[in-house]
Amino acid sequence: MADHAYREPSRSPSSGDVRPKPENSRSLSRQVAVVTGASSGIGTAIATALAAAGASVIVNHRPNPRSAAEADAVVEAIRRAGDTASPFPADVTDEAQVEAMAEAAVERYGALDIMVANAGIEQAAPIEEMSLAAWRQVIDVNLTGAFLSARAAARRFLSQGLRPDVSRAAGKIIFTSSVHEFIPWAFQANYAASKGGVMLLMKSLAQELAPRRIRVNSVAPGAIRTPINADAWQSDEARDALLELIPYGRIGAPDDVGRAVAWLASDDADYIVGTSLVADGGMSLYPSFRGAG
Ligand code: BGC
């Protein structure tokens, strides 16, 4: 793929809005990350937060012109902040493209330390109307895509070995799961099944890879204001109904998840292995039981 030949543009000190940051002072300095589905929503926030913490970030996007343009804008914003990122087109359900993406991280930045398997979709339908295609697409992107991304990363982590000057772990895999890895979700059976699958994929890989010093965890967001759930917050009525489900009284911002992932990826979280970090403003606390039941 032509993208392999990508070269990080040299930063001219005179290009006003780019401020180089001191190396080694940040929690992910000299680390290299891939974030799948990073051209919008939570993925963009994760890529931005990892870059702000010092990582060089591959901003993965779907191989189509619209996603490519969105990813370019994300990369541009990260660079304007003085951080390091570049785009990579890959369909996370395509084995060869995912392998090429992991390889691109090594070619561009010299290593791979962090894989955030974030790409996800929804295709809601009542079960009697849910097409096989809608079932398969959601399982393919959310679960098979997570598997392929994790496997590609694990392969690089294992061949690369520990980089003790960079991190206490030989690699970190972080899945973007959901509160729906444990909260059932009517009309979204495919989505909830995919996220339940991600939960045990994460835990099984965490158990398997921990002895090899690879940390595997998930972040499990609740309702975060992104395009995927626009119907749930765009109208006043929908927003009020959604807020009833969130004890903390606000809809999450993508940054809430970005910062959680940057922490999970850092050595500050070195003893966190096989955990889903729930970032949901209390959505999973059964808020309807407050004063009832
Ligand atoms: C879904 C959102 C939903 C949230 C809480 C997420 O995993 O993608 O659409 O708002 O869970 O239900």
Side-chain angles (χ1 to χ4, degrees):
M1 203 178 282
D3 247 72
H4 281 219
Y6 178 88
R7 293 283 171 276
E8 190 69 21
S10 61
R11 288 195 192 123
S12 140
S14 60
S15 66
D17 53 356
V18 175
R19 300 174 303 277
K21 295 183 179 168
E23 267 314 308
N24 293 327
S25 60
R26 298 186 284 168
S27 61
L28 302 179
S29 286
R30 289 177 298 140
Q31 298 198 42
V32 181
V34 169
V35 182
T36 70
S39 59
S40 72
I42 290 174
T44 296
I46 293 172
T48 305
L50 296 184
S56 299
V57 180
I58 301 268
V59 173
N60 161 251
H61 60 87
R62 280 193 255 205
N64 67 52
R66 188 173 141 231
S67 299
E70 287 173 350
D72 285 346
V74 173
V75 165
E76 180 58 33
I78 290 174
R79 288 187 184 154
R80 262 203 313 275
D83 300 321
T84 303
S86 57
F88 193 91
D91 174 345
V92 295
T93 70
D94 184 301
E95 188 170 23
Q97 291 181 34
V98 173
E99 287 294 322
M101 173 169 63
E103 207 42 50
V106 179
E107 283 172 17
R108 291 178 188 177
Y109 301 119
L112 179 62
D113 305 287
I114 301 161
M115 170 62 75
V116 185
N118 166 80
I121 58 169
E122 288 177 16
Q123 293 230 22
I127 191 64
E128 67 276 22
E129 286 165 26
M130 188 175 282
S131 66
L132 180 57
W135 170 267
R136 280 198 174 132
Q137 268 168 20
V138 170
I139 298 292
D140 252 24
V141 174
N142 298 8
L143 184 54
T144 307
F147 154 68
L148 288 174
S149 303
R151 189 186 65 176
R155 285 174 170 167
R156 267 79 197 171
F157 297 162
L158 291 169
S159 63
Q160 183 176 279
L162 198 61
R163 308 202 304 138
D165 51 325
V166 163
S167 175
R168 295 178 72 180
K172 281 86 60 160
I173 297 169
I174 299 168
F175 297 102
T176 301
S177 180
S178 165
V179 291
H180 298 297
E181 71 173 37
F182 54 88
I183 300 181
W185 206 13
F187 313 110
Q188 298 259 15
N190 47 359
Y191 184 86
S194 74
K195 296 300 185 177
V198 165
M199 178 180 67
L200 275 175
L201 172 65
M202 179 276 285
K203 292 190 184 205
S204 301
L205 295 184
Q207 191 193 64
E208 182 173 333
L209 294 172
R212 304 172 91 170
R213 293 284 285 276
I214 296 169
R215 288 196 299 115
V216 185
N217 290 287
S218 290
V219 66
I224 309 295
R225 199 184 292 269
T226 72
I228 207 173
N229 59 359
D231 287 350
W233 51 263
Q234 264 174 346
S235 74
D236 289 352
E237 208 185 356
R239 198 180 50 244
D240 289 349
L242 182 58
L243 284 171
E244 287 290 312
L245 300 176
I246 309 173
Y248 203 53
R250 70 174 174 85
I251 300 168
D255 267 3
D256 289 317
V257 182
R259 281 191 298 268
V261 171
W263 176 77
L264 263 183
S266 77
D267 278 359
D268 287 343
D270 190 55
Y271 209 53
I272 311 295
V273 173
T275 291
S276 291
L277 176 57
V278 176
D280 73 344
M283 181 177 238
S284 50
L285 298 174
Y286 298 98
S288 54
F289 274 78
R290 195 164 183 272

